Amino acid sequence: MKSPSRWMLLIVAAAPLLTAALWMDNQPVYKPFRSPALPKPEGSVPVTGTEGSEPLSGQKNPVPASESSLAQGKVLFEINCAMCHGPTSAKRGPVGLKLNPPPPALDHEMVQALDDSVIFNAVTAGFGRMPAFRSKLTIEERWHLINYLRTRQ
């Protein structure tokens, strides 16, 4: 009887490895260096410190609309909002012109139709493409901004 050749032994030895390679592409994978995102346990307490309580509902602006408040609100608007919403309600800012659809103009009629708490929640948590300003503006600064928006034409 003839002994098996070296090539035949090599093929028999490599067969399990080659077979394993056939189904390796069908395994569940995660992005490199990331663990799978697990759901939060029910009743768990957040620990990052950025989670807020329930959104405000029906709350009125506690900051009086004084000249100082309006001036602070205007500065905050020019720094944080005008680049998208525009310096006036008639024209969008340079970033807003590139967005499709463009951000709302925040004109007087639109802002007057909204409750203070609705505007506060939108500025705090953001929505759509608008970023959240919770970590960028203090609570008082957000109320100053709302005072200014109420007077903006």
Side-chain angles (χ1 to χ4, degrees):
M1 188 170 189
K2 197 173 179 186
S3 68
S5 70
R6 288 184 185 162
W7 288 108
M8 187 60 101
L9 290 175
L10 183 62
I11 291 173
V12 170
L17 295 174
L18 295 172
T19 306
L22 294 175
W23 69 78
M24 284 181 73
D25 291 339
N26 296 328
Q27 296 180 10
V29 295
Y30 300 101
K31 292 186 178 181
F33 307 110
R34 286 192 166 187
S35 61
L38 300 174
K40 295 177 182 143
E42 190 173 325
S44 64
V45 178
V47 294
T48 63
T50 59
E51 296 82 10
S53 60
E54 290 298 313
L56 296 174
S57 177
Q59 183 175 357
K60 296 293 179 196
N61 190 338
V63 176
S66 63
E67 285 187 34
S68 171
S69 174
L70 295 176
Q72 289 179 42
K74 182 177 182 182
V75 169
L76 291 168
F77 182 85
E78 290 169 352
I79 293 170
N80 298 290
C81 311
M83 73 226 21
C84 290
H85 294 284
T88 66
S89 61
K91 183 180 179 199
R92 301 298 178 274
V95 175
L97 291 172
K98 295 178 182 185
L99 299 175
N100 187 15
L106 300 180
D107 59 357
H108 188 72
E109 292 79 25
M110 177 189 165
V111 173
Q112 295 304 322
L114 298 173
D115 188 42
D116 284 347
S117 60
V118 171
I119 301 170
F120 185 85
N121 289 333
V123 172
T124 301
F127 67 95
R129 296 174 295 184
M130 181 174 154
F133 285 89
R134 173 183 286 123
S135 62
K136 297 170 184 67
L137 300 175
T138 66
I139 292 173
E140 187 175 340
E141 287 174 332
R142 286 178 253 160
W143 288 120
H144 289 308
L145 183 59
I146 293 168
N147 283 336
Y148 172 70
L149 288 174
R150 295 268 185 224
T151 63
R152 188 168 178 259
Q153 294 296 323

Short mmCIF file of all heavy atoms in Angstrom, two decimals, residues 48-86:
data_model
loop_
_atom_site.label_atom_id
_atom_site.label_comp_id
_atom_site.label_asym_id
_atom_site.label_seq_id
_atom_site.Cartn_x
_atom_site.Cartn_y
_atom_site.Cartn_z
N THR A 48 -24.25 60.30 34.89
CA THR A 48 -23.37 61.22 34.17
C THR A 48 -23.58 62.66 34.59
O THR A 48 -22.73 63.50 34.36
CB THR A 48 -23.60 61.13 32.65
OG1 THR A 48 -24.93 61.53 32.37
CG2 THR A 48 -23.34 59.73 32.14
N GLY A 49 -24.72 62.99 35.17
CA GLY A 49 -25.00 64.36 35.60
C GLY A 49 -25.56 65.23 34.51
O GLY A 49 -25.91 66.38 34.75
N THR A 50 -25.66 64.74 33.28
CA THR A 50 -26.20 65.56 32.20
C THR A 50 -27.68 65.30 31.96
O THR A 50 -28.31 66.00 31.20
CB THR A 50 -25.44 65.31 30.89
OG1 THR A 50 -25.56 63.93 30.55
CG2 THR A 50 -23.97 65.68 31.02
N GLU A 51 -28.23 64.26 32.58
CA GLU A 51 -29.64 63.98 32.40
C GLU A 51 -30.46 65.01 33.15
O GLU A 51 -30.17 65.33 34.30
CB GLU A 51 -30.00 62.58 32.94
CG GLU A 51 -29.33 61.46 32.22
CD GLU A 51 -27.92 61.20 32.71
OE1 GLU A 51 -27.53 61.77 33.72
OE2 GLU A 51 -27.21 60.47 32.05
N GLY A 52 -31.47 65.51 32.50
CA GLY A 52 -32.32 66.51 33.14
C GLY A 52 -33.58 65.87 33.67
O GLY A 52 -33.88 64.71 33.43
N SER A 53 -34.31 66.64 34.40
CA SER A 53 -35.59 66.16 34.87
C SER A 53 -36.58 66.28 33.72
O SER A 53 -36.22 66.58 32.60
CB SER A 53 -36.03 67.00 36.07
OG SER A 53 -36.14 68.35 35.69
N GLU A 54 -37.82 66.07 34.01
CA GLU A 54 -38.85 66.19 32.99
C GLU A 54 -38.83 67.60 32.40
O GLU A 54 -38.55 68.57 33.10
CB GLU A 54 -40.22 65.90 33.60
CG GLU A 54 -40.41 64.45 33.97
CD GLU A 54 -40.34 63.53 32.79
OE1 GLU A 54 -40.98 63.83 31.76
OE2 GLU A 54 -39.63 62.53 32.87
N PRO A 55 -39.14 67.74 31.12
CA PRO A 55 -39.18 69.07 30.52
C PRO A 55 -40.19 69.96 31.23
O PRO A 55 -41.21 69.48 31.73
CB PRO A 55 -39.61 68.81 29.07
CG PRO A 55 -39.38 67.37 28.84
CD PRO A 55 -39.44 66.69 30.17
N LEU A 56 -39.88 71.24 31.26
CA LEU A 56 -40.80 72.19 31.87
C LEU A 56 -42.09 72.24 31.08
O LEU A 56 -42.08 72.08 29.87
CB LEU A 56 -40.17 73.59 31.87
CG LEU A 56 -38.91 73.77 32.71
CD1 LEU A 56 -38.34 75.15 32.48
CD2 LEU A 56 -39.22 73.57 34.17
N SER A 57 -43.15 72.46 31.75
CA SER A 57 -44.43 72.58 31.06
C SER A 57 -45.21 73.71 31.70
O SER A 57 -45.47 73.69 32.91
CB SER A 57 -45.20 71.27 31.17
OG SER A 57 -46.45 71.41 30.57
N GLY A 58 -45.55 74.71 30.92
CA GLY A 58 -46.37 75.82 31.41
C GLY A 58 -45.65 76.80 32.32
O GLY A 58 -46.29 77.68 32.90
N GLN A 59 -44.33 76.69 32.46
CA GLN A 59 -43.61 77.61 33.34
C GLN A 59 -43.39 78.93 32.63
O GLN A 59 -43.08 78.99 31.45
CB GLN A 59 -42.28 77.02 33.77
CG GLN A 59 -41.53 77.93 34.74
CD GLN A 59 -40.26 77.32 35.27
OE1 GLN A 59 -39.95 76.17 34.96
NE2 GLN A 59 -39.53 78.05 36.07
N LYS A 60 -43.55 80.01 33.36
CA LYS A 60 -43.30 81.34 32.82
C LYS A 60 -41.85 81.74 33.12
O LYS A 60 -41.24 81.27 34.07
CB LYS A 60 -44.25 82.37 33.46
CG LYS A 60 -45.71 82.12 33.14
CD LYS A 60 -45.97 82.34 31.68
CE LYS A 60 -47.42 82.07 31.36
NZ LYS A 60 -47.68 81.91 29.97
N ASN A 61 -41.35 82.65 32.32
CA ASN A 61 -39.99 83.14 32.46
C ASN A 61 -39.84 83.86 33.81
O ASN A 61 -40.49 84.86 34.05
CB ASN A 61 -39.68 84.09 31.31
CG ASN A 61 -38.23 84.46 31.23
OD1 ASN A 61 -37.50 84.37 32.21
ND2 ASN A 61 -37.80 84.90 30.07
N PRO A 62 -38.95 83.36 34.70
CA PRO A 62 -38.77 84.01 36.00
C PRO A 62 -37.88 85.25 35.95
O PRO A 62 -37.80 86.00 36.92
CB PRO A 62 -38.12 82.92 36.85
CG PRO A 62 -37.37 82.08 35.87
CD PRO A 62 -38.17 82.12 34.61
N VAL A 63 -37.21 85.48 34.82
CA VAL A 63 -36.31 86.63 34.69
C VAL A 63 -37.08 87.79 34.06
O VAL A 63 -37.59 87.66 32.94
CB VAL A 63 -35.08 86.25 33.81
CG1 VAL A 63 -34.18 87.45 33.60
CG2 VAL A 63 -34.32 85.10 34.43
N PRO A 64 -37.18 88.92 34.76
CA PRO A 64 -37.90 90.06 34.17
C PRO A 64 -37.20 90.58 32.92
O PRO A 64 -35.98 90.56 32.82
CB PRO A 64 -37.89 91.11 35.28
CG PRO A 64 -37.04 90.59 36.38
CD PRO A 64 -36.66 89.18 36.08
N ALA A 65 -37.98 91.05 31.98
CA ALA A 65 -37.44 91.53 30.70
C ALA A 65 -36.95 92.97 30.82
O ALA A 65 -37.46 93.88 30.20
CB ALA A 65 -38.50 91.42 29.62
N SER A 66 -35.91 93.16 31.60
CA SER A 66 -35.32 94.49 31.80
C SER A 66 -34.38 94.79 30.63
O SER A 66 -34.08 93.93 29.80
CB SER A 66 -34.54 94.52 33.12
OG SER A 66 -33.47 93.60 33.08
N GLU A 67 -33.91 96.04 30.59
CA GLU A 67 -32.95 96.41 29.54
C GLU A 67 -31.68 95.57 29.63
O GLU A 67 -31.11 95.18 28.62
CB GLU A 67 -32.61 97.90 29.63
CG GLU A 67 -33.72 98.80 29.13
CD GLU A 67 -33.28 100.25 29.08
OE1 GLU A 67 -32.09 100.51 28.79
OE2 GLU A 67 -34.13 101.11 29.31
N SER A 68 -31.24 95.29 30.85
CA SER A 68 -30.04 94.47 31.05
C SER A 68 -30.27 93.05 30.53
O SER A 68 -29.41 92.48 29.86
CB SER A 68 -29.70 94.44 32.54
OG SER A 68 -28.69 93.50 32.79
N SER A 69 -31.43 92.48 30.83
CA SER A 69 -31.75 91.13 30.36
C SER A 69 -31.81 91.08 28.84
O SER A 69 -31.29 90.14 28.22
CB SER A 69 -33.08 90.67 30.95
OG SER A 69 -33.46 89.44 30.40
N LEU A 70 -32.44 92.08 28.23
CA LEU A 70 -32.54 92.11 26.76
C LEU A 70 -31.16 92.26 26.12
O LEU A 70 -30.89 91.64 25.09
CB LEU A 70 -33.46 93.24 26.32
CG LEU A 70 -34.92 93.09 26.74
CD1 LEU A 70 -35.72 94.32 26.33
CD2 LEU A 70 -35.53 91.84 26.19
N ALA A 71 -30.30 93.08 26.73
CA ALA A 71 -28.94 93.25 26.20
C ALA A 71 -28.16 91.95 26.29
O ALA A 71 -27.46 91.56 25.34
CB ALA A 71 -28.22 94.37 26.95
N GLN A 72 -28.27 91.25 27.42
CA GLN A 72 -27.59 89.97 27.57
C GLN A 72 -28.15 88.94 26.58
O GLN A 72 -27.39 88.18 25.96
CB GLN A 72 -27.75 89.44 28.99
CG GLN A 72 -26.95 90.20 30.03
CD GLN A 72 -27.17 89.65 31.42
OE1 GLN A 72 -27.20 88.44 31.61
NE2 GLN A 72 -27.32 90.53 32.40
N GLY A 73 -29.47 88.94 26.43
CA GLY A 73 -30.10 88.02 25.49
C GLY A 73 -29.66 88.27 24.06
O GLY A 73 -29.45 87.33 23.29
N LYS A 74 -29.51 89.55 23.70
CA LYS A 74 -29.07 89.89 22.34
C LYS A 74 -27.66 89.37 22.09
O LYS A 74 -27.37 88.80 21.03
CB LYS A 74 -29.14 91.39 22.11
CG LYS A 74 -28.72 91.78 20.71
CD LYS A 74 -28.86 93.26 20.47
CE LYS A 74 -28.47 93.55 19.02
NZ LYS A 74 -28.51 94.93 18.68
N VAL A 75 -26.77 89.57 23.05
CA VAL A 75 -25.39 89.09 22.91
C VAL A 75 -25.38 87.56 22.80
O VAL A 75 -24.69 87.00 21.94
CB VAL A 75 -24.52 89.56 24.11
CG1 VAL A 75 -23.17 88.86 24.13
CG2 VAL A 75 -24.34 91.06 24.08
N LEU A 76 -26.15 86.89 23.63
CA LEU A 76 -26.22 85.43 23.58
C LEU A 76 -26.77 84.95 22.23
O LEU A 76 -26.30 83.96 21.68
CB LEU A 76 -27.09 84.90 24.73
CG LEU A 76 -26.49 85.06 26.12
CD1 LEU A 76 -27.53 84.77 27.19
CD2 LEU A 76 -25.28 84.16 26.29
N PHE A 77 -27.78 85.65 21.71
CA PHE A 77 -28.35 85.30 20.41
C PHE A 77 -27.30 85.45 19.31
O PHE A 77 -27.15 84.57 18.47
CB PHE A 77 -29.57 86.16 20.11
CG PHE A 77 -30.22 85.81 18.81
CD1 PHE A 77 -31.15 84.80 18.74
CD2 PHE A 77 -29.88 86.48 17.64
CE1 PHE A 77 -31.74 84.45 17.52
CE2 PHE A 77 -30.46 86.15 16.43
CZ PHE A 77 -31.40 85.13 16.38
N GLU A 78 -26.59 86.56 19.31
CA GLU A 78 -25.58 86.80 18.28
C GLU A 78 -24.47 85.76 18.32
O GLU A 78 -23.95 85.36 17.28
CB GLU A 78 -25.00 88.21 18.43
CG GLU A 78 -26.00 89.29 18.06
CD GLU A 78 -25.55 90.69 18.46
OE1 GLU A 78 -24.53 90.83 19.16
OE2 GLU A 78 -26.24 91.64 18.06
N ILE A 79 -24.10 85.29 19.51
CA ILE A 79 -23.03 84.31 19.65
C ILE A 79 -23.50 82.90 19.29
O ILE A 79 -22.81 82.16 18.59
CB ILE A 79 -22.47 84.32 21.09
CG1 ILE A 79 -21.75 85.64 21.36
CG2 ILE A 79 -21.53 83.14 21.33
CD1 ILE A 79 -21.37 85.85 22.81
N ASN A 80 -24.69 82.52 19.77
CA ASN A 80 -25.11 81.13 19.70
C ASN A 80 -26.15 80.81 18.62
O ASN A 80 -26.25 79.67 18.19
CB ASN A 80 -25.68 80.68 21.05
CG ASN A 80 -24.66 80.74 22.15
OD1 ASN A 80 -23.73 79.97 22.17
ND2 ASN A 80 -24.82 81.70 23.05
N CYS A 81 -26.94 81.80 18.20
CA CYS A 81 -28.10 81.50 17.36
C CYS A 81 -28.05 82.13 15.97
O CYS A 81 -28.58 81.57 15.01
CB CYS A 81 -29.38 81.97 18.05
SG CYS A 81 -29.52 81.45 19.77
N ALA A 82 -27.46 83.32 15.87
CA ALA A 82 -27.53 84.09 14.62
C ALA A 82 -26.86 83.39 13.44
O ALA A 82 -27.26 83.60 12.31
CB ALA A 82 -26.92 85.48 14.81
N MET A 83 -25.86 82.57 13.70
CA MET A 83 -25.18 81.90 12.59
C MET A 83 -26.12 80.99 11.81
O MET A 83 -25.94 80.79 10.62
CB MET A 83 -23.96 81.13 13.07
CG MET A 83 -24.32 79.87 13.80
SD MET A 83 -23.53 79.44 15.36
CE MET A 83 -22.88 80.83 16.06
N CYS A 84 -27.17 80.49 12.46
CA CYS A 84 -28.16 79.66 11.76
C CYS A 84 -29.45 80.43 11.49
O CYS A 84 -29.93 80.48 10.37
CB CYS A 84 -28.49 78.41 12.58
SG CYS A 84 -27.14 77.21 12.66
N HIS A 85 -30.02 81.02 12.54
CA HIS A 85 -31.33 81.67 12.43
C HIS A 85 -31.25 83.06 11.79
O HIS A 85 -32.27 83.57 11.35
CB HIS A 85 -31.99 81.75 13.80
CG HIS A 85 -32.34 80.41 14.36
ND1 HIS A 85 -33.41 79.68 13.90
CD2 HIS A 85 -31.75 79.66 15.33
CE1 HIS A 85 -33.48 78.54 14.57
NE2 HIS A 85 -32.48 78.49 15.43
N GLY A 86 -30.08 83.64 11.75
CA GLY A 86 -29.90 84.92 11.09
C GLY A 86 -29.95 86.10 12.04
O GLY A 86 -30.60 86.05 13.08
#
